[in-house]
Amino acid sequence: MQDYLSPERDRVALITIDAQRDFVLPNGPATVSGSLSAVPQMQRLTQTFRQLGAPIVHMVRLYRCNGSNVDLCHRAQIESGQRIVMPGTSGCELIDELKPDTTQRIEPELLLDGKLQEIGPKEWIGYKPRLSAFFQTPVEEHLKALGISTIVICGTDFSTSPRSSVYAAANRDFRMVLATDAISGATDAGLNELAQIGVYLMATDKLLDWLSRSRQAA
């Protein structure tokens, strides 16, 4: 039988999801439980993908203060005055551990205009207007133009954006690996559901070993 699910090492990209200060830092206004402990694994993955010259896309949320671009489940909060990942604030920035250069800043208007912000060789930031990394974003076309067939996903709050992104990626015929210890909020039941649709579940050590073996073989 033809294998349509196994990840392909030479056609792989990393997607980080909502790894932003407001969601990760302990004093953030919308800190997601467990995110801080996932940061070292997210950092190891981004560093390895850079070393290998494999593409990285950091997907972020940006909430306008009037709530006009906010998903419905959070819009009332923003309209009532809560400020989360607001464009131009430090809280909307990627955590320093994932940046190739800690002095880099998000360019909100570029991202809100639907464009990707290049922050390094084969590394970009993209804005997603809803939970999924693929809803009304250029990510699918961008990755397929690079010849990518396989995506590795890590980030914050498994039950919202990461899981939504996995299902959206499945609908677009990407092969997938979820970095189980580089994501916050994952449950055994949720992970098992993804395994049922062909998502490979790997802890960071196993993922890095898989990537290094591919390069050694090459």
Side-chain angles (χ1 to χ4, degrees):
M1 290 174 58
Q2 181 72 36
D3 181 1
Y4 293 107
L5 297 175
S6 295
E8 297 179 321
R9 297 180 180 96
D10 57 345
R11 301 179 64 195
V12 65
L14 175 67
I15 297 182
T16 76
I17 298 181
D18 296 346
Q20 295 165 268
R21 295 168 63 89
D22 275 352
F23 299 132
V24 175
L25 299 187
N27 60 347
T31 302
V32 178
S33 177
S35 293
L36 196 61
S37 63
V39 168
Q41 288 69 247
M42 286 192 270
Q43 184 178 37
R44 291 173 65 200
L45 287 169
T46 54
Q47 289 174 342
T48 298
F49 271 74
R50 284 187 196 118
Q51 292 165 2
L52 296 176
I56 303 170
V57 182
H58 305 280
M59 296 303 294
V60 301
R61 299 192 223 184
L62 296 169
Y63 290 166
R64 296 186 191 275
C65 62
N66 64 3
S68 60
N69 70 327
V70 180
D71 45 290
L72 295 183
C73 61
H74 297 101
R75 187 172 297 177
Q77 292 175 262
I78 304 305
E79 288 178 338
S80 66
Q82 190 166 9
R83 296 295 173 254
I84 304 172
V85 294
M86 190 171 71
T89 65
S90 63
C92 82
E93 295 291 337
L94 283 177
I95 54 174
D96 286 348
E97 289 85 352
L98 299 195
K99 294 179 179 180
D101 178 353
T102 58
T103 66
Q104 288 172 323
R105 295 291 179 266
I106 282 176
E107 298 178 21
E109 293 310 314
L110 179 72
L111 298 183
L112 289 166
D113 194 38
K115 298 180 175 62
L116 296 175
Q117 176 185 344
E118 188 169 6
I119 60 172
K122 293 189 177 181
E123 187 165 359
W124 299 266
I125 299 174
Y127 158 70
K128 56 188 185 64
R130 293 294 180 266
L131 297 176
S132 167
F134 295 90
F135 179 77
Q136 294 183 359
T137 78
V139 172
E140 177 184 4
E141 293 78 8
H142 180 69
L143 293 179
K144 288 186 175 178
L146 294 173
I148 297 301
S149 69
T150 303
I151 56 176
V152 173
I153 291 179
C154 67
T156 68
D157 203 5
F158 168 82
S159 64
T160 58
S161 293
R163 182 154 58 181
S164 297
S165 298
V166 166
Y167 281 108
N171 290 337
R172 290 159 174 81
D173 292 337
F174 283 104
R175 302 166 188 239
M176 280 174 287
V177 180
L178 187 76
T180 55
D181 58 349
I183 200 158
S184 60
T187 64
D188 289 342
L191 294 176
N192 288 337
E193 287 177 4
L194 298 192
Q196 293 300 311
I197 63 166
V199 178
Y200 277 67
L201 307 176
M202 295 189 197
T204 299
D205 283 344
K206 184 176 181 181
L207 242 171
L208 297 182
D209 178 64
W210 173 72
L211 288 167
S212 67
R213 282 190 284 114
S214 73
R215 300 293 163 163
Q216 291 167 2

